[in-house]
Structure formats: C-alpha cells, structure tokens
Amino acid sequence: MKPHNPPSARECFIDNASIFRHLSHDELAKIPIDQEPDFYKRGTIIYSEGSRIYGFYCILRGIIKIYKTGFDGKEQIIRFAKKGDIMGFRSTINREPACTTTQVLEDAYICFVHADVVLEFIRQNGNFALELLQIACKELGEANDYITDIAQKTVRERLAEAIIHLRKEFDLDKDYYLQITLTREELANIVGTATESVIRLLSEFKQDGLIELTGRKIKVLDEKTLHKIANMNG
Amino acid sequence: MKPHNPPSARECFIDNASIFRHLSHDELAKIPIDQEPDFYKRGTIIYSEGSRIYGFYCILRGIIKIYKTGFDGKEQIIRFAKKGDIMGFRSTINREPACTTTQVLEDAYICFVHADVVLEFIRQNGNFALELLQIACKELGEANDYITDIAQKTVRERLAEAIIHLRKEFDLDKDYYLQITLTREELANIVGTATESVIRLLSEFKQDGLIELTGRKIKVLDEKTLHKIANMNG
DNA sequence: CGGGAGATTGACTGATCTCAACCCGGGTGG
DNA sequence: CCACCCGGGTTGAGATCAGTCAATCTCCCG
C-alpha cells in the first residue's frame, strides 16, 4: 500500500524552498527532522473544521484538498496544498479551531511541527517570521482575487479560470493531462456551482476544442482561448 | 473643513490595542510618533490597485473602504478599515503592488509607517511579528468565510449577513442607526450583486419590519430574524 | 431653475439551479 | 458466473433567482 520510497523529513526542513531554511542549527535541533514523515492515504481526513489542531502540517508529497462546509453541507474548496506547502498555520497562530477540513486527494507524506515550536521560532527568528507572514499575505491576496471572481464572474468564466489555475499549479502527466484528478462535483465546489453545470460547460469546452477529457483527466488544448473566456489578468 | 481636534499619533503607537504595543522605547524611537497624523477627506483615494506603496497605514479615525476592481470595472468591496486597523501590509510585506484600492468613506486621520521600519521590527521583535501574523491570519479566515458565503448563499442571505456584519463592526449613532452610511451601490458591491437587487431586498426587509431605512441610514430592528435569514453561525 | 447622482420601480430575459431519469463501470455477495 | 448495487457522470425539462434595461422620481446644489 505504502510505497517503498518515503521522502526524508529533511527535505522538508533543509530544502532551499522550505520555510524552515532560515533556521539555525540550534533551532533545527528542536524539530525531530530525522523522524519519518507521516503517511496519509487517499481519502483520509487530516483534520476537520471545528477541531483543535496542535501545529503545522508540511506537505512533502501528495495533494490535499482544503475546504469549508457551507450551511447546507455543500463543500467549498478553498485551495489545494502540495509539496512544499503548509497547512494549519492559521489555526496554530490564532489558537483557534480549524476553519477548514483537509482531505487527502493523492497519497501524501506530511511532517507535523508542534505549535509551541513554531511560535518559538516566530519569536526568535525574524526571518522565519517574515517568511510565514509572506505566505499568509500571499494567500490573502489570492483569497481576495477569489472573492472578486466568484462575486462578479459567470460560471463559465470561473470554470475556465479554475482550469487554468489547476494547470499552473500542478504538473502534467506523461500524456500532458493535468496531474490532479477531480470529480465533477469537486470542480463544481471550486467554481461554486452545481455539478450539472460543470458537466455541461466541460463538454462545451470540449466541443470547442479547448480541452480534452478522458474520464476525470483533463488536458488543456487551447490555453489562450480559455484565458480569454476567463477574462483573466494573470 | 478639517476638525480642530486631530488625534495624536501617539494613540496609534502606544495604545494597548495597537499592533505596536510590543515595541520597546528604542524601537518606538524609530517611528515619528510625535508627527501629526495625515488627514484624508471623504472621497480621497489613499492608494490604488496596482500602485506601489511604501509602508503601512494605521487608521486613527474615520472609515476606509477597501475594494478590488473586477474585469468589467465593477468594484468588489473586500473589507472596511476603521480606528485601530491597518492597511497596506500585504503589499508591504510581499513587496508587491497594491492589490486593492482604498478610499475614504468618513474623514480620516491616518499614520504612515515606512516599510523599512516595519520590516526591521518584524525581524527584531518577535512579538510584533506574531501580532502581525495574527492579523493576517484573522483576515485570511474571514476571507475564507466570505468565499464560501458568496459561492453558496443567495443574494437575500448575503445581504442579511452583510447588514449583521456592519452592525457588529460599527457603532450606532444616537438614534441607533448604523454609524456607517453606504450607497445602495456600495451595499451591492459588498454582497456581490446588482444595485437594483439590493434596493428590492432592502425594501422587503423593511416591509417585514426587520430594518428601518432613512435615506442611507439603516437601523436594525430584528437582528434575530436577520440572522435566521442569513443562515449564519457566528 | 436646471443638472446630476443616486434611488426606485416595472418588465423582460436568461443564466443557473433543481429534479428526475438514465447510463456506466467496478465491486460484492450469493 | 451473474445479478445487484452504488457512486459518479450525463442529459433533458422546467422553474426561478437575479441581472439588465429603461423610465421616473427625489434630492441636493450651484
């Protein structure tokens, strides 16, 4: 079940791109970097909205879906987390219960760092604090864009935009399909619409030669036109 | 025009609720806390989306509308800032152009703190960094709620919710009307709908005895029912 | 008094949602 | 081995929420 080549936790803490890259040797000594990262199987819920969480989750491998549950039980996908991303810092820092649920979409290896350690690092190491602030601010900017899009764009525009985002965020597989596979319902929960609407629009896009569909796999054929449909800046 | 009792900048930096409360005397010495805060008249745009900004804005008095401009020029209000709030930290920290426009709704006094100083404080003073992180994370949580609401709720629900939020965030005047006055269009730009829809729904709420309207002033009469209509948790 | 911005109202349209039926492929239990 | 079930995926029809357009009204101001 579990593959035989788990990544080393060191990847997560010592890598150049890691938020922990600014830590000194002494500081690094406080995290169990030699411990094996935890393995989470597809479908596992790592933590749920409303539950207490006790620290950070750093993704080493895999894909996590992060969502909120609306009033009528419908899920709204807020973002995805993948290699190099962290989850749970909002709750850790504000000492509040989680405001999202996180579920594994693709088998994942994850390191956990306890809140006390993180808070100590923030206080002790200015560069680490700044790094975290930058991550939070980046997400904040993306969230603001998201709000504006959902409030003002049509479903068609948002779906085109979502596909482009997915293409930018995730790799392609060997056949140039998006690496991430989502059900139509999950796509609908990104865009904020009904499953049936996504289905209809996807087959329109396919008719128009913008994408190719094979089961849940999506291949982008004409990014330029998708961009135009999405009325995007970025 | 400009009132005769400007607040002292000291309020902003030494107050208990201020994000600067953790600064030492030496650190405080680096900000011109004895300088008079800047006065901005209603209607003034403090900075625009896409422009470079060079630091933080700390609101001492007044109300600021923070919004993004969508593809077709329609504004989407992201939040309001008032006494004790800060603006512009996202761009300051990520060294990016502003992603929102900020416009004065109610005559304001504002202190400006240069980016270099802020970044130095973040690096030097862990408690200050943590304070900022908490603000960023709080906003992030609110943004996520906002996304879910806009994506899943009807206009009617969102308008009810918006009114409740305004009531929580702002004081009431002597007649128990909401202190903040917004045009119907601005209300529509919070909710993410058309002006006409807001007008129709407001008069429905009025018919139902939930609110009272006097020009642009709104008085909440039946918060409980509004809550119910909004399907709110908080 | 004329002009302009914002507020209102009505009529119409249409993008989406909802509901319901049906399909398809995989897995399971008899 | 086969019937059945179940979770998605599709499709169609009908209902409706909410956006657009246009006319009118009401203030407020110079």
Side-chain angles (χ1 to χ4, degrees):
Chain A
M1 190 67 43
K2 186 169 155 184
H4 295 300
N5 54 343
S8 150
R10 292 178 159 270
E11 266 183 48
C12 164
F13 298 113
I14 302 186
D15 228 13
N16 244 346
S18 159
I19 52 160
F20 297 104
R21 65 186 165 192
H22 295 298
L23 298 184
S24 69
H25 274 286
D26 288 353
E27 285 168 330
L28 275 174
K30 287 175 188 145
I31 0 182
I33 55 174
D34 289 320
Q35 191 184 295
E36 209 175 302
D38 299 314
F39 176 76
Y40 293 88
K41 215 180 139 31
R42 169 177 172 79
T44 313
I45 289 187
I46 302 177
Y47 57 80
S48 295
E49 194 168 347
S51 64
R52 289 228 150 268
I53 64 181
Y54 302 95
F56 265 46
Y57 297 81
C58 311
I59 309 353
L60 278 166
R61 194 182 292 171
I63 299 177
I64 318 295
K65 168 174 82 171
I66 300 176
Y67 64 91
K68 284 185 78 75
T69 304
F71 174 72
D72 53 356
K74 187 175 159 70
E75 70 182 44
Q76 177 63 39
I77 297 180
I78 302 293
R79 65 184 183 99
F80 297 100
K82 58 177 199 301
K83 180 183 163 70
D85 292 337
I86 55 177
M87 309 188 309
F89 67 92
R90 201 203 62 85
S91 313
T92 300
I93 283 164
N94 281 354
R95 298 165 182 289
E96 280 176 4
C99 74
T100 53
T101 302
T102 54
Q103 186 179 22
V104 179
L105 279 192
E106 236 182 49
D107 290 359
Y109 284 95
I110 298 179
C111 287
F112 179 81
V113 183
H114 198 283
D116 295 342
V117 179
V118 174
L119 292 173
E120 191 186 332
F121 289 163
I122 292 169
R123 291 218 182 74
Q124 305 295 317
N125 186 322
N127 284 319
F128 177 76
L130 188 55
E131 193 84 23
L132 265 187
L133 257 170
Q134 283 169 349
I135 291 172
C137 288
K138 175 158 169 285
E139 275 190 37
L140 198 47
E142 289 166 354
N144 289 343
D145 289 340
Y146 204 168
I147 289 169
T148 309
D149 283 344
I150 294 195
Q152 301 195 352
K153 290 186 175 176
T154 64
V155 172
R156 184 190 176 74
E157 292 170 315
R158 280 180 272 149
L159 181 60
E161 181 162 356
I163 293 173
I164 290 177
H165 276 146
L166 291 175
R167 172 150 171 48
K168 281 193 185 145
E169 190 170 348
F170 295 99
D171 297 328
L172 303 180
D173 67 16
K174 57 188 181 329
D175 299 318
Y176 304 104
Y177 282 87
L178 290 183
Q179 174 210 1
I180 189 174
T181 56
L182 299 168
T183 64
R184 311 289 143 138
E185 190 179 359
E186 282 167 334
L187 272 170
N189 294 343
I190 298 173
V191 170
T193 186
T195 310
E196 295 95 323
S197 299
V198 165
I199 290 171
R200 284 183 243 266
L201 287 167
L202 278 182
S203 57
E204 247 188 64
F205 288 169
K206 184 178 166 179
Q207 292 298 318
D208 297 348
L210 309 180
I211 57 172
E212 206 176 299
L213 295 171
T214 305
R216 287 183 191 161
K217 284 288 184 183
I218 299 177
K219 189 195 290 187
V220 174
L221 298 178
D222 184 351
E223 183 161 349
K224 203 167 161 189
T225 306
L226 276 180
H227 245 279
K228 214 173 295 168
I229 290 174
N231 286 141
M232 287 175 68
N233 317 300
Chain B
M1 190 63 43
K2 184 169 156 183
H4 296 300
N5 53 343
S8 149
R10 292 179 157 271
E11 266 183 49
C12 166
F13 298 113
I14 301 185
D15 227 13
N16 244 346
S18 159
I19 51 161
F20 297 104
R21 66 187 165 189
H22 295 298
L23 297 183
S24 68
H25 275 286
D26 288 353
E27 286 169 330
L28 276 174
K30 289 174 187 147
I31 358 182
I33 56 174
D34 288 320
Q35 189 185 296
E36 208 175 301
D38 299 314
F39 176 76
Y40 292 89
K41 215 181 137 30
R42 170 177 171 77
T44 313
I45 288 189
I46 302 176
Y47 57 81
S48 295
E49 195 168 345
S51 65
R52 289 229 148 265
I53 64 180
Y54 302 95
F56 264 46
Y57 296 81
C58 311
I59 319 310
L60 277 166
R61 193 182 292 172
I63 299 176
I64 318 294
K65 168 173 82 171
I66 301 176
Y67 64 92
K68 285 184 77 74
T69 304
F71 174 73
D72 53 356
K74 187 175 160 68
E75 70 182 44
Q76 177 63 39
I77 297 180
I78 302 293
R79 65 184 183 99
F80 297 99
K82 59 177 198 303
K83 179 183 165 69
D85 292 335
I86 55 177
M87 308 188 310
F89 68 91
R90 202 202 62 84
S91 312
T92 301
I93 283 164
N94 281 353
R95 300 166 181 288
E96 280 175 5
C99 74
T100 53
T101 302
T102 54
Q103 186 180 21
V104 180
L105 279 192
E106 235 183 50
D107 290 358
Y109 284 94
I110 297 179
C111 286
F112 179 80
V113 183
H114 198 283
D116 295 342
V117 178
V118 173
L119 291 173
E120 191 187 333
F121 288 163
I122 292 171
R123 289 219 184 73
Q124 305 295 315
N125 186 323
N127 285 320
F128 177 76
L130 189 56
E131 193 84 23
L132 265 188
L133 257 170
Q134 283 169 348
I135 291 172
C137 287
K138 176 157 169 286
E139 276 190 35
L140 197 47
E142 288 165 353
N144 289 344
D145 289 340
Y146 205 167
I147 289 169
T148 309
D149 283 345
I150 295 195
Q152 300 194 353
K153 290 187 175 176
T154 64
V155 171
R156 184 190 176 74
E157 292 170 315
R158 280 179 273 150
L159 180 61
E161 182 163 357
I163 292 173
I164 291 177
H165 276 147
L166 291 175
R167 171 148 171 49
K168 282 192 186 149
E169 190 169 349
F170 295 99
D171 296 328
L172 303 181
D173 67 17
K174 57 188 181 329
D175 298 318
Y176 305 103
Y177 282 87
L178 290 183
Q179 174 210 1
I180 187 173
T181 56
L182 299 168
T183 64
R184 312 290 155 164
E185 190 180 359
E186 282 167 334
L187 272 171
N189 294 342
I190 298 173
V191 171
T193 187
T195 310
E196 294 94 325
S197 298
V198 166
I199 290 171
R200 284 184 241 267
L201 287 167
L202 278 183
S203 58
E204 247 188 64
F205 289 167
K206 184 179 168 180
Q207 292 298 317
D208 297 347
L210 309 180
I211 57 171
E212 206 175 299
L213 295 171
T214 306
R216 289 184 189 157
K217 284 287 186 185
I218 298 177
K219 188 195 290 187
V220 174
L221 298 177
D222 183 351
E223 183 161 349
K224 203 167 160 188
T225 306
L226 276 180
H227 245 279
K228 216 173 294 169
I229 290 174
N231 286 141
M232 287 176 67
N233 315 302

